[in-house]
Amino acid sequence: MREPAETGLDPHDPGRIAPRFARFDLARGASLTTRILLLNIIPIALLAGSVFYLDSYRRQLTGERFRLAQVEAQIIAEALAGASQERQEALLIQIGKEQQLRIRLYDPEGVLTQDSFVLGEPAYTLDDPTDDSWVERWGRSLDAGMDAMLGAPPVPDYVEPETDDAEDWPELAEARRQGITQLRLRYAPDRTPVITAAAPVGLEGATLLLSRNPRDIVQSVRDARGLIAALIGVAFLVSIMISLYLARTIVEPLRRLARAAVRVRLGRERGVVVPRMSERGDEIGILARATSDMTEALRQRIDAVEAFAADVAHEIKNPLASLRSAIESLGTVDDPALRRQLNDIAAHDVRRIDRLVTEISDASRIEAEMSRTEFEVIDLDRMVRNLVAARDRRDENEGREVAITLHDGPAYIQGVALRLERVIGNLLDNAVSFSPKDGRIDIDITGEGEFVELSVCDQGPGIAPEAREKVFTRFHSVRPDSEQFGNHSGLGLAIARTIAEAHDGTLTVGDRADGGSGACLTLALPAADSAR
């Protein structure tokens, strides 16, 4: 069997054409443009999802500030323990200013005794959100939305108590009761974090409360989020542009091919030209050229079928008309001799029609049959000798001498034996028809080179050069004057060439090599070691 040409793909193997990983249809029923857009946007969506993971970055920063606040609270508590009031005030002012903290000191009764914001200038101030720009308000809304989507635990608001004693701060109460440092996180009105740390001071029951407003945490997260958003926007625009480019270079050519294929299928425009896209060297260009070639081949096949049907109708019409005339005349003729003559004509026409139908059936199914038949190795010399001997026994050579000569043997080919016998039989039938009664038919077989050649030469009048291709035309029949009309359908050599070409071979007409009168029909077939 011949392999599919050019593409190198087996059309019967769906795994070669559609790999397993390509069978998952992400957007079944969607257009190719939509699929391209979807596949290009999915990575952008995944990148956009990384914005949510900034929450873990924020928690990490907040955790570091918690640890820092705990250490600071413990160090400050140790520094204040046992110090005089003047020294405590100086430390509160200095540390609060340098570390941007608010430090409050409570006596054992829980009463506020010292406050760094009262003793000196406040180290920080909480912003009033009512004066913020729309960008800042949008940022706060985005933060709240992220917390809601991620299911973050609620964070209480930071509110300064009216009396400001130890019982107003839960972390101070816990530190007084347990004797260890306690930490809390609250949100200022502008949703920036406020971290408080309460720690015992000395052994007399005094406590301190330090608070910090690390606005840089929020700003760092918002800056990272803004950078990622900008990158996502740029990537989204680039993805859209790439998708549109791919859609234009892939989808539009495919649509052109589809429109041309529809017009060809409808048959409304006989001259529809399927674009070949010769400038494209990619798979779409290959598809366009293959589709164009396939369309042209289909048109040629359709034209051939239509011409063949017309020829069949013409060839069958003549014997049918003769048969009809003979049958109609039988009813009006009483002369026995004339009736026998009419019966002979009718019988001859029936045989002629039967022969035509048989030849037409063979001619119409040979190509389809050959395309699915497995070839076998054949000894051509042995086949020819057996065939000639069988014809002699049936007197099909009509007394002509048939000489078989093998040159440069052996002559092995690959093919379908039954069909090749049909070719050789048709060539011998043709040679017998044109050979004189005492003539000789020479069969020469040459097995040298990539092809095995078989020549059948007669001693008839020969074939003029301008008519040598016409003899292979269907229903073309030029017979000797001595031969009874209607014994040949004119399909023999056409069928022989079809079978030869199905074997990747050729069938041609030439002159005798010895210069004598007669024609030589040469069948060339690939040798077995070079065939397929």
Side-chain angles (χ1 to χ4, degrees), residues 262-510:
V262 169
R263 291 199 302 271
V264 171
R265 177 178 61 84
L266 295 176
R268 295 176 181 172
E269 300 179 48
R270 187 68 174 174
V272 173
V273 177
V274 178
R276 294 185 61 82
M277 302 182 191
S278 302
E279 72 282 359
R280 298 188 65 138
D282 55 8
E283 288 81 359
I284 291 182
I286 295 173
L287 173 63
R289 291 185 286 278
T291 303
S292 178
D293 293 340
M294 178 187 68
T295 302
E296 185 61 30
L298 287 174
R299 284 174 176 162
Q300 292 177 0
R301 180 65 61 86
I302 292 171
D303 291 342
V305 170
E306 291 177 351
F308 184 51
D311 291 339
V312 168
H314 175 74
E315 292 297 322
I316 292 181
K317 185 176 181 181
N318 290 334
L320 280 177
S322 175
L323 178 61
R324 177 181 178 183
S325 177
I327 293 174
E328 289 176 350
S329 300
L330 280 173
T332 61
V333 173
D334 296 327
D335 185 1
L338 185 54
R339 290 178 66 87
R340 282 194 302 272
Q341 184 180 357
L342 290 173
N343 280 326
D344 291 341
I345 292 173
H348 178 270
D349 288 336
V350 169
R351 289 194 298 272
R352 183 181 174 192
I353 292 172
D354 180 68
R355 186 181 301 109
L356 274 172
V357 171
T358 301
E359 296 285 352
I360 289 167
S361 176
D362 285 347
S364 61
R365 70 168 182 261
I366 281 175
E367 286 192 41
E369 180 183 292
M370 293 295 297
S371 65
R372 57 177 180 269
T373 304
E374 293 291 338
F375 285 8
E376 60 182 353
V377 178
I378 299 170
D379 184 347
L380 187 60
D381 177 62
R382 182 177 179 182
M383 172 188 283
V384 171
R385 294 182 187 276
N386 291 338
L387 179 61
V388 171
R391 287 174 61 90
D392 281 336
R393 289 193 297 269
R394 296 190 298 266
D395 196 29
E396 292 178 357
N397 294 328
E398 300 179 6
R400 275 72 168 180
E401 178 188 356
V402 180
I404 304 172
T405 305
L406 175 64
H407 306 276
D408 305 315
Y412 290 102
I413 60 170
Q414 281 188 329
V416 181
L418 185 63
R419 289 303 177 186
L420 291 175
E421 287 179 357
R422 176 69 178 277
V423 175
I424 299 168
N426 287 356
L427 298 183
L428 287 171
D429 286 340
N430 186 78
V432 169
S433 295
F434 287 97
S435 293
K437 292 292 185 182
D438 57 349
R440 189 179 77 171
I441 300 172
D442 294 305
I443 300 179
D444 293 307
I445 303 173
T446 304
E448 184 181 8
E450 295 183 0
F451 283 83
V452 174
E453 292 188 353
L454 179 144
S455 296
V456 179
C457 302
D458 58 51
Q459 294 179 337
I463 303 174
E466 64 274 9
R468 289 177 180 174
E469 279 301 309
K470 292 181 181 179
V471 299
F472 298 107
T473 305
R474 286 171 174 173
F475 303 111
H476 177 83
S477 182
V478 178
R479 314 309 303 176
D481 296 337
S482 60
E483 186 175 287
Q484 186 180 6
F485 175 76
N487 286 340
H488 293 272
S489 64
L491 288 170
L493 292 182
I495 291 174
R497 173 170 274 190
T498 300
I499 296 173
E501 291 175 349
H503 284 78
D504 293 335
T506 59
L507 180 60
T508 56
V509 179

